Amino acid sequence: TECGKLLLFFPIFAVSRIIHMQISKPRKIFIIEDDPLQADMLKDRLTRDTGHDVKVFYTGESCMRSLSDNPEVVIIDYNLNSNDRSAANGMDILTSIKKYLPDTHVIMLSSQERYAIALQSIQKGAEQYVIKDKEAIEKVAKLVDDLR
């Protein structure tokens, strides 16, 4: 019956979910995003199932002051602080992070779809470049889970 199929499916789904949670270890993650709504949605998604320790920074400078906490992953908004020309942008922060913590995984998150910007991000040390679209948060969560 349909009810029996659902009961058979649910325990398998629940067990596979528990196994996945045990395999992917919690990570220390920094998010540098000047849009509070975007930052909160990303933080909520990254902490929901995995228990990642996520800190949000609204400026690159505030993140740089906390690098001694040794994050495993840093997610940077490319257009960071676009309204304040005196503040460091995402590319500047990427360069600084890779200088001080070369083994830290960096994911660049941007609404920029230009190939040259994505290439420059990768050349400067970002492992991934994710375009902000409706699937961006899920893409970032998967990339974080897949890191070794």
Side-chain angles (χ1 to χ4, degrees):
T1 68
E2 289 299 316
C3 184
K5 288 179 186 175
L6 182 60
L7 289 175
L8 287 175
F9 172 74
F10 181 75
I12 293 169
F13 174 75
V15 169
S16 69
R17 189 104 166 132
I18 291 167
I19 290 170
H20 176 71
M21 287 172 58
Q22 291 172 348
I23 291 173
S24 60
K25 67 174 187 145
R27 300 180 182 280
K28 185 179 290 188
I29 301 171
F30 285 4
I31 298 171
I32 312 170
E33 170 63 70
D34 56 356
D35 177 347
L37 179 60
Q38 183 79 22
D40 288 345
M41 289 189 315
L42 188 53
K43 180 180 180 179
D44 288 347
R45 174 60 186 90
L46 291 171
T47 57
R48 181 183 323 142
D49 298 327
T50 58
H52 293 307
D53 176 16
V54 179
K55 291 184 182 177
V56 173
F57 301 91
Y58 298 107
T59 67
E61 291 82 2
S62 61
C63 175
M64 294 303 295
R65 289 190 293 271
S66 296
L67 284 184
S68 61
D69 290 346
N70 293 314
E72 291 178 69
V73 181
V74 180
I75 302 162
I76 307 171
D77 175 22
Y78 173 80
N79 287 322
L80 190 61
N81 305 316
S82 59
N83 294 332
D84 182 356
R85 296 292 173 205
S86 67
N89 64 34
M91 200 65 73
D92 295 336
I93 297 302
L94 167 62
T95 302
S96 296
I97 288 171
K98 293 310 276 188
K99 179 179 176 183
Y100 294 110
L101 298 173
D103 296 330
T104 298
H105 303 283
V106 178
I107 300 170
M108 188 68 79
L109 185 61
S110 177
S111 57
Q112 291 288 329
E113 295 183 23
R114 295 192 343 235
Y115 175 77
I117 292 173
L119 181 60
Q120 183 182 20
S121 297
I122 301 299
Q123 289 172 335
K124 290 189 177 274
E127 290 186 34
Q128 296 288 333
Y129 185 90
V130 177
I131 295 172
K132 286 184 182 178
D133 58 18
K134 63 182 180 177
E135 291 95 25
I137 290 174
E138 287 303 317
K139 288 176 189 174
V140 170
K142 175 145 180 39
L143 288 170
V144 169
D145 286 345
D146 290 346
L147 291 173
R148 300 278 178 234

